[in-house]
């Protein structure tokens, strides 16, 4: 018996237990039988265990070079290092689907272990919904996309990974992004459970908020790593090209971001219930759409797999999700009425609504641009492409308004904000942003759009820091040193101040995008040994080519020196590697030198013998801010996700010390005033 045979058996058993879990969970919910629900949990754990076993068998097949397995022969070779051989597990369609199912099994098992924290009525429906999704993926794996299919005549060696995947990013980006897609299944299961059970109050939101935060953080990491990978591997000088598959990964991130904002409004004011339910369902549907888009091959992308009939199954599953969720949504719509109405547009909930409108606007524009080539090919029989200029011109202003709203929101009170309070809170950030707009032209930034973008970023950054300072000042007035006051703010209000950290990271990322978009400089030049070229104040000296040969590859590197003001900055070797198994398809080794907040990005375009090369050089200002901002966003997401470790105090029951009510933040002070009928 081969390891692959064990893998097939494990998949079949996983499918059987998934079906059993669905049936017994529904029976337990309808008949209110706790023992049936316990059986469903155990069945979910069995599904997870069998998927772990199947995945382990596939990895072992790779590591033992069992080329009798068709998938192993297609995705690996004996010359590959063991870590790339292991990563080949998710390098193709079949393995990536198995990884998707594996991660869902693990997340489902985590929910089964922690289900006591969720409302009891929701648990069986959550389990059943998760197993329906799991059952679909395992059914596809068993029938039309089996990674354990064996060849009648095993080859002596395999083809190997695509050269573009032979990069350290392969070890982190694909698994993180696939996990991100999968993780939206759990919030979706909570939403379906709430709709099926009729328990659509705020309890289901509180139970699944951290699940959605985890999904958002994972997807953020996947997008960030994907941008980093594209920047370091593809050689076009950028990190985001509005490729259809990139867009598909961004879509659920946008809707989940909108949800994380509007859920606070529902918990605080009992409003935006319809929004929240819609956004959770949309996030999951868009994650399935992204999976469908990559695996169907119907949309041209450098990330897509070849055209496959598997796309039909995903399209049908997506259609079922949309139809079922929509019908359930409208059935429960009468129960989703808001508890309160908007008191004023100039309020925190008003800004949250504006955030949602901007995020959904970006989502719609991105989805439309992604699908338009397919729609035009179907209706007009003519394929029309949608490029980066469309997305930049449409989404750019929307992102600017979104970032501006991020700065205004924290400075507004709930319910209503008086004109005096509005000016008092916004005056400092506004003055600093205006000063930024006046100073930037003196620094050589004369582009109007860039100036507006930087000024908006400055306003929001100052607004967030100002809000942090106000909170620390209030605590300092009660006797705490400033450093302790800041620490206590983050400790006691992790969700709020973690959100501010996320916003600061996004502002930093946006500044990096603005700088690299408006001020990137490019130069293509053909040099002979000893010749030099200048760009952006840097001198590049070409010394010749260094060529090397291996059993299945050929490499060439251009030897260069980078000088600035008579000082040697760096010695670089941009290169290309050609792989024989892929018809000498080249993979690029980009030379990136980071100097402060500027990247020198050098790509070897072509070469002739040992002493001539065509070099493409980019000067990319502020690109490092993209990575720094992304990391800060992840840290903020972790702060929001991290449990408080204490019970939140209910308003109106604050402790009294020395005869005074302990108010720790300006927001609490404004809340007291508003609840008493005052205008803040």
């Amino acid at each position: 018996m081969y390891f692959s045979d064990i893998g097939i058996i494990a998949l079949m058993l996983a499918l059987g237990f998934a079906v059993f879990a669905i049936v017994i969970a529904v029976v337990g919910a309808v008949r209110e039988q706790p023992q049936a629900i316990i059986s469903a949990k155990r069945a979910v754990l069995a599904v997870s265990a069998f998927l772990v076993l199947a995945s382990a068998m596939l990895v072992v097949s790779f590591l033992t070079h069992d080329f009798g397995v068709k998938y192993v022969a297609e995705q690996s070779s004996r010359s590959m290092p063991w870590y790339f051989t292991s990563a080949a597990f998710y390098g193709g369609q079949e393995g990536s689907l198995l990884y998707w199912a594996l991660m869902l099994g693990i997340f489902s098992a985590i929910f089964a272990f922690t289900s006591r924290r969720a409302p009891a009525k929701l648990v069986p429906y959550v389990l059943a919904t998760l197993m329906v999704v799991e059952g679909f993926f395992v059914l596809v794996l068993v029938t039309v996309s089996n990674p354990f299919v064996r060849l009648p005549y095993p080859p002596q060696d395999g083809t190997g990974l695509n050269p573009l995947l032979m990069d350290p990013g392969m070890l982190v980006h694909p698994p993180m992004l696939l996990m991100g897609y999968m993780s939206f299944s759990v919030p979706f299961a909570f939403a379906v459970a709430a709709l099926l059970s009729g328990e659509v109050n705020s309890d289901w939101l509180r139970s699944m908020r951290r699940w959605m935060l985890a999904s958002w953080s994972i997807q953020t990491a996947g997008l960030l790593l994907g941008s980093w990978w594209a920047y370091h591997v593809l050689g076009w000088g950028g990190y985001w090209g509005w490729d259809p598959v990139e867009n598909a990964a961004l879509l659920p991130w946008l809707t989940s971001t909108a949800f994380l904002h509007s859920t606070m409004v529902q918990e605080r004011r009992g409003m935006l219930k319809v929004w929240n339910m819609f956004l959770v369902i949309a996030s999951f549907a868009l994650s399935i759409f992204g999976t469908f888009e990559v695996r169907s091959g119907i949309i041209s992308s450098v990330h897509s797999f070849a055209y496959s009939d598997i796309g039909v199954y995903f399209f049908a599953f997506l259609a079922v999700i949309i139809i079922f969720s929509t019908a359930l949504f409208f059935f429960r719509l009468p129960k989703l009425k808001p508890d309160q109405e908007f008191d004023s547009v100039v309020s925190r909930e008003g800004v949250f609504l504006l955030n949602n409108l901007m995020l959904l606007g970006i989502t719609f524009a991105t989805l439309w641009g992604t699908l338009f080539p397919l729609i035009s090919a179907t209706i007009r029989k003519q394929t029309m492409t949608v490029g980066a200029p469309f997305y930049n011109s449409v989404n750019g202003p929307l992102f600017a308004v979104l970032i501006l709203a991020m700065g205004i929101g924290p400075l507004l009170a709930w319910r209503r904000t008086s004109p005096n309070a509005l000016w008092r809170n916004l005056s400092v950030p506004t003055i600093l942003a205006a000063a930024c707009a006046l100073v930037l032209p003196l620094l050589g930034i004369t582009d109007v759009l860039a100036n507006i973008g930087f000024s908006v970023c400055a306003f929001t950054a100052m607004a967030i820091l100002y809000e942090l300072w106000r909170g620390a000042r209030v605590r300092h007035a009660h006797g705490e040193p400033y450093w302790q006051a800041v620490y206590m703010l983050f400790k006691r209000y992790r969700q709020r101040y973690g959100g501010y950290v996320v916003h600061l990271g996004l502002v930093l990322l946006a500044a990096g995008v603005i700088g690299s978009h408006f001020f990137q400089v490019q130069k293509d030049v053909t040099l002979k040994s000893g010749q030099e070229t200048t760009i952006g104040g840097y001198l590049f000296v070409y010394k010749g080519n260094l060529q090397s040969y291996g059993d299945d590859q050929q490499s060439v590197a251009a030897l260069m020196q980078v000088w600035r003001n008579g000082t040697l900055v760096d010695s670089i070797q941009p290169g290309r590697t050609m792989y024989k198994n892929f018809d000498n398809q080249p993979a690029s080794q980009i030379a990136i030198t980071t100097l402060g907040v500027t990247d020198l990005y050098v790509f070897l375009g072509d070469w002739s013998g040992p002493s001539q090369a065509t070099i493409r050089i980019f000067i990319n200002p502020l690109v490092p801010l993209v990575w720094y901002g992304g990391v800060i966003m992840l840290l903020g997401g972790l702060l929001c996700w991290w449990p408080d470790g204490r019970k939140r105090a209910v308003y109106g029951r604050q402790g009294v010390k020395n005869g005074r009510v302990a108010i720790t933040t300006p927001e609490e002070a404004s809340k007291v005033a508003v609840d008493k009928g005052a205008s803040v």
Side-chain angles (χ1 to χ4, degrees):
M1 176 178 288
Y2 296 102
F3 291 115
S4 59
D5 296 330
I6 300 175
I8 293 175
I9 295 172
L11 285 178
M12 291 180 175
L13 289 172
L15 179 60
F17 275 100
V19 173
F20 173 77
I22 295 169
V23 174
I24 199 68
V26 172
V27 170
V30 173
R31 298 184 179 181
E32 298 183 352
Q33 296 179 349
Q35 291 301 319
I37 299 174
I38 292 174
S39 296
K41 292 180 183 179
R42 292 172 178 171
V44 168
L45 297 179
V47 171
S48 177
F50 283 120
L51 286 171
V52 169
L53 178 60
S55 301
M57 292 303 98
L58 184 57
V59 172
V60 170
S61 297
F62 272 107
L63 292 176
T64 58
H65 300 301
D66 183 3
F67 297 119
V69 179
K70 181 182 178 183
Y71 182 70
V72 174
E74 290 174 344
Q75 300 297 326
S76 69
S77 65
R78 296 184 185 276
S79 62
M80 288 169 51
W82 68 268
Y83 44 87
F84 282 136
T85 301
S86 300
F89 163 51
Y90 46 76
Q93 179 171 277
E94 294 86 349
S96 64
L97 290 177
L98 177 56
Y99 177 83
W100 209 106
L102 169 67
M103 289 295 103
L104 179 55
I106 292 174
F107 272 55
S108 300
I110 293 173
F111 171 76
F113 279 120
T114 61
S115 57
R116 290 183 179 180
R117 301 175 183 175
K121 288 187 177 181
L122 300 185
V123 171
Y125 293 110
V126 172
L127 293 172
T129 304
L130 290 173
M131 289 300 99
V132 167
V133 179
E134 186 73 275
F136 166 76
F137 275 87
V138 179
L139 180 63
V140 170
L141 286 166
V142 169
T143 55
V144 296
S145 190
N146 194 326
F148 298 106
V149 172
R150 298 195 66 85
L151 296 169
Y153 303 102
Q156 292 298 313
D157 199 357
T159 304
L161 273 177
N162 187 302
L164 293 177
L165 303 181
M166 298 286 284
D167 181 85
M170 176 63 180
L171 306 178
V172 288
H173 164 53
M176 189 63 68
L177 199 56
L178 288 170
M179 192 192 308
Y181 276 139
M182 173 282 309
S183 63
F184 289 107
S185 304
V186 182
F188 171 74
F190 270 96
V192 171
L195 291 171
L196 286 172
S197 64
E199 300 291 326
V200 293
N201 52 31
S202 296
D203 289 343
W204 74 277
L205 282 178
R206 284 188 284 269
S207 300
M208 57 79 71
R209 183 201 297 115
R210 292 179 67 214
W211 286 102
M212 183 62 92
L213 276 169
S215 300
W216 180 90
S217 298
I218 295 169
Q219 193 73 358
T220 300
L223 290 168
L224 186 66
L225 288 169
S227 300
W228 173 83
W229 189 1
Y231 189 64
H232 284 74
V233 172
L234 298 184
W236 56 284
Y239 43 82
W240 188 268
W242 295 107
D243 178 87
V245 173
E246 293 175 345
N247 295 347
L250 179 65
L251 294 173
W253 183 89
L254 292 168
T255 52
S256 62
T257 302
F259 169 81
L260 291 172
H261 285 84
S262 61
T263 184
M264 290 185 283
V265 179
Q266 179 171 342
E267 291 187 20
R268 182 89 177 201
R269 301 287 314 279
M271 301 160 63
L272 302 185
K273 295 180 180 180
V274 172
W275 275 92
N276 288 324
M277 192 65 70
F278 165 75
L279 289 170
V280 174
I281 295 172
S283 296
F284 177 69
L286 289 171
S287 71
I288 296 298
F289 168 76
T291 308
F292 156 73
E293 181 185 319
V294 176
R295 277 144 192 84
S296 65
I298 63 171
I299 296 179
S300 178
S301 167
V302 297
H303 302 82
S304 298
F305 295 109
Y307 181 82
S308 171
D309 291 337
I310 195 176
V312 176
Y313 295 88
F314 274 93
F315 181 77
F317 183 58
L318 179 60
V320 169
I321 289 172
I322 294 174
I323 293 172
F324 173 77
S325 300
T326 302
L328 197 57
F329 177 82
F330 280 104
F331 176 70
R332 295 296 187 188
L333 192 60
K335 286 193 171 186
L336 295 175
K337 292 182 179 179
D339 298 337
Q340 302 181 54
E341 299 295 333
F342 275 102
D343 295 317
S344 172
V345 175
V346 186
S347 61
R348 187 166 297 192
E349 53 267 44
V351 173
F352 281 153
L353 181 58
L354 177 62
N355 276 340
N356 279 8
L357 292 173
M358 293 300 102
L359 287 165
L360 286 187
I362 297 168
T363 301
F364 176 78
T366 305
L367 181 62
W368 174 254
T370 302
L371 293 178
F372 184 76
L374 182 62
I375 296 173
S376 65
T378 303
I379 298 177
R380 303 179 60 182
K381 307 301 180 182
Q382 180 182 2
T383 302
M384 301 180 66
T385 59
V386 177
F390 165 79
Y391 297 104
N392 293 335
S393 61
V394 175
N395 289 342
L398 295 178
F399 270 116
V401 175
L402 177 65
I403 293 173
L404 186 64
M406 283 166 33
I408 296 175
L411 301 177
L412 300 184
W414 293 97
R415 297 185 179 180
R416 70 184 71 87
T417 304
S418 69
N420 290 336
L422 183 65
W423 169 244
R424 182 174 64 250
N425 294 341
L426 297 182
S427 58
V428 173
T430 301
I431 292 171
L432 292 174
C436 176
L438 294 174
V439 170
L440 286 175
L442 302 178
L443 300 177
I445 301 176
T446 57
D447 189 287
V448 175
L449 294 179
N451 194 317
I452 293 174
F454 283 129
S455 299
V456 167
C457 291
F459 171 87
T460 299
M462 290 302 104
I464 295 170
L465 294 175
Y466 180 59
E467 171 67 6
L468 179 61
W469 176 78
R470 291 200 310 159
R473 184 183 61 178
V474 171
R475 297 191 69 92
H476 177 70
H478 287 78
E480 292 181 354
Y482 275 110
W483 67 267
Q484 184 179 1
V486 173
Y487 170 76
M488 291 302 298
L489 286 175
F490 279 95
K491 182 179 180 180
R492 293 178 60 86
Y493 306 97
R494 285 177 181 162
Q495 183 179 353
R496 182 194 311 162
Y497 287 93
Y500 293 162
V501 173
V502 172
H503 289 176
L504 281 175
L506 183 57
V507 168
L508 198 63
L509 186 150
V513 171
I514 294 168
S516 57
H517 175 74
F518 285 98
F519 305 110
Q520 182 187 67
V521 182
Q522 174 185 342
K523 185 175 185 179
D524 293 353
V525 60
T526 299
L527 301 173
K528 293 185 178 180
S529 182
Q531 291 184 331
E532 58 191 42
T533 185
T534 59
I535 177 176
Y538 296 92
L539 175 68
F540 292 83
V541 181
Y542 171 64
K543 297 293 186 179
N545 297 330
L546 178 64
Q547 300 186 31
S548 59
Y549 301 88
D551 294 336
D552 61 346
Q553 65 185 43
Q554 173 188 354
S555 299
V556 59
L559 307 179
M560 302 186 71
Q561 292 179 341
V562 184
W563 296 76
R564 183 176 177 85
N565 298 328
T567 302
L568 179 63
V569 173
D570 198 7
S571 296
I572 59 176
Q573 297 184 16
R576 307 285 287 276
T577 300
M578 285 65 65
Y579 293 85
K580 296 178 181 178
N581 287 348
F582 287 86
D583 298 325
N584 289 323
Q585 177 181 338
S588 299
Q589 286 76 51
I590 315 299
I592 302 176
T593 301
T594 300
L595 301 173
V597 291
T598 298
D599 277 352
L600 310 183
Y601 186 103
V602 184
F603 168 75
L604 176 61
D606 199 2
W607 66 95
S608 178
S611 59
Q612 181 172 310
T614 299
I615 307 295
R616 176 170 295 174
I617 304 171
F618 295 90
I619 307 297
N620 291 335
L622 303 188
V623 166
L625 297 186
V626 174
W627 319 126
Y628 301 151
V631 171
I632 292 173
M633 289 176 65
L634 289 174
L635 291 175
L638 181 61
L639 278 173
C640 292
W641 177 88
W642 201 267
D644 282 346
R646 66 179 183 87
K647 293 183 178 180
R648 289 184 176 274
V650 178
Y651 171 67
R653 301 175 182 269
Q654 295 101 326
V656 178
K657 185 176 181 180
N658 298 328
R660 294 185 300 177
V661 177
I663 299 174
T664 55
T665 66
E667 181 183 275
E668 292 181 358
S670 65
K671 180 184 174 187
V672 170
V674 171
D675 287 348
K676 289 181 178 180
S679 179
V680 179

